[in-house]
């Protein structure tokens, strides 16, 4: 136990140890080794580090710690598989409002999923590729086969809904599947980058605030 | 209670090294400071010039209260005394 307390002194800043290290180690030798002593030394080391470090260093240290926590949290979360497919919307006739027709078809097709509360759970996404009439449809699920089935069903439903609404019209959109949804082989960690980034940002802000407050207190 | 005040009050009685301060504070205030807390207070007090470390032959460096430290302690204890006086007066049955 005593060696552990002596080891904890290494957590103090080097300059502090040069000044107080010898007498601090002697004091530790004079005390009976105990857990409260170890925790007090550890706490003192963190406190001293925070006092002597500059704001940038503190923000960076807390940011890195936050990023690590975020990364571990994302990796600890259950794995999910993403299945993607691609559709294309071809305008037929003159004066076709591609965006309007697409939005209407998507709304109707996706609506039942969200009404049943499964849309959010299955994490459905439809992204239109800019400057083209291509649509990327995807869904996330812990089961890769189910992710593929959900994406497939969604694409089919968009086409069916649009076909029902276009009956009797001369102009409109023709929707076609150009790439069937894949069966994902490896899981994706959709929140890994986001959580690492959020952890770093949150940690950096926290570190900066703590450093600022402590500096103000020390100055008083 | 603020560890820095406890250390100042302990040194008001004479020069002491870390372990002697811990014992003294435990005796007069009933608080057993940990080594990290004690040296955190010593570091802050020495930076402010309210105590200073003395040369020593062994590894137990004694510390001494400076004139500025004594003045600060007097001010703080005076304020505390006033606080205690008012508090006790208000607690007295009417």
């Amino acid at each position: 136990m005593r060696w552990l307390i002596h080891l904890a002194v290494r957590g103090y800043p080097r300059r502090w140890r040069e000044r107080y290290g010898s007498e601090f180690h002697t004091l530790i030798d004079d005390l009976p080794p105990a857990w409260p002593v170890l925790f007090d030394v550890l706490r003192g080391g963190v406190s001293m580090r925070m006092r002597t470090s500059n704001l940038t260093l503190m923000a960076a240290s807390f940011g890195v710690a936050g990023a690590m926590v975020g990364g571990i949290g994302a990796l600890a979360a259950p794995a999910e598989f993403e299945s993607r497919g691609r559709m294309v919307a071809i305008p037929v006739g003159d004066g076709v409002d591609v965006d309007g027709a697409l939005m209407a078809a998507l709304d109707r097709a996706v609506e039942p999923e969200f009404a049943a509360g499964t849309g959010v759970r299955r994490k459905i996404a439809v992204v239109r590729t800019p400057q083209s009439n291509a649509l990327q449809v995807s869904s996330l699920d812990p089961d890769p086969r189910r992710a593929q089935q959900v994406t497939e069903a969604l694409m089919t439903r968009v086409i069916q809904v649009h076909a029902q609404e276009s009956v009797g019209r001369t102009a409109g959109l023709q929707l076609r599947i150009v790439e069937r949804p894949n069966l994902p082989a490896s899981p994706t960690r959709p929140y890994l980058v986001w959580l690492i980034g959020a952890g770093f940002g949150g940690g950096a802000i926290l570190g900066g605030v703590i450093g600022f407050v402590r500096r103000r207190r020390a100055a008083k | 209670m603020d560890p820095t005040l406890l250390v100042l009050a302990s040194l008001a009685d004479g020069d002491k090294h870390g372990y002697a301060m811990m014992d003294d504070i435990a005796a007069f205030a009933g608080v057993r400071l940990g080594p990290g807390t004690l040296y955190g207070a010593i570091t802050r007090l020495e930076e402010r010039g309210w105590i200073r470390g003395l040369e020593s032959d062994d590894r137990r460096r004694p510390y001494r209260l400076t004139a500025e430290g004594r003045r600060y302690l007097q001010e703080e204890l005076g304020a505390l005394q006033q606080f205690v006086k008012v508090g006790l007066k208000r607690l007295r049955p009417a």
Side-chain angles (χ1 to χ4, degrees), chain A residues 203-217:
Chain A
I205 292 168
L206 183 68
V209 169
I210 291 174
F212 181 74
V213 169
R214 292 191 73 93
R215 185 181 285 184
R216 288 284 296 268
R217 273 196 194 165

Side-chain angles (χ1 to χ4, degrees), chain A residues 5 12 16 19-32 36-37 40-41 43-44 47-48 51-52 214 217-220, chain B residues 17-20 22 32-48 50 52-54 58-63:
Chain A
I5 302 171
Y12 284 71
W16 187 92
R19 165 65 185 84
Y20 297 101
S22 170
E23 55 193 282
F24 195 54
H25 280 294
T26 307
L27 176 62
I28 289 167
D29 283 333
D30 288 341
L31 295 169
V37 174
D40 189 71
V41 170
R43 197 178 57 84
S47 175
M48 207 52 70
R51 275 188 87 236
T52 53
R214 292 191 73 93
R217 273 196 194 165
K220 280 182 185 174
Chain B
H17 55 68
Y19 190 79
M22 285 171 86
R32 186 95 202 162
L33 295 183
T37 308
L38 177 74
Y39 266 83
I42 288 174
T43 307
R44 286 195 294 277
L45 290 170
E46 203 174 24
E47 278 173 2
R48 290 170 192 176
W50 292 343
R52 68 184 170 89
L54 305 173
D58 72 356
R59 293 168 71 202
R60 291 173 183 80
R61 184 195 296 272
Y63 287 88

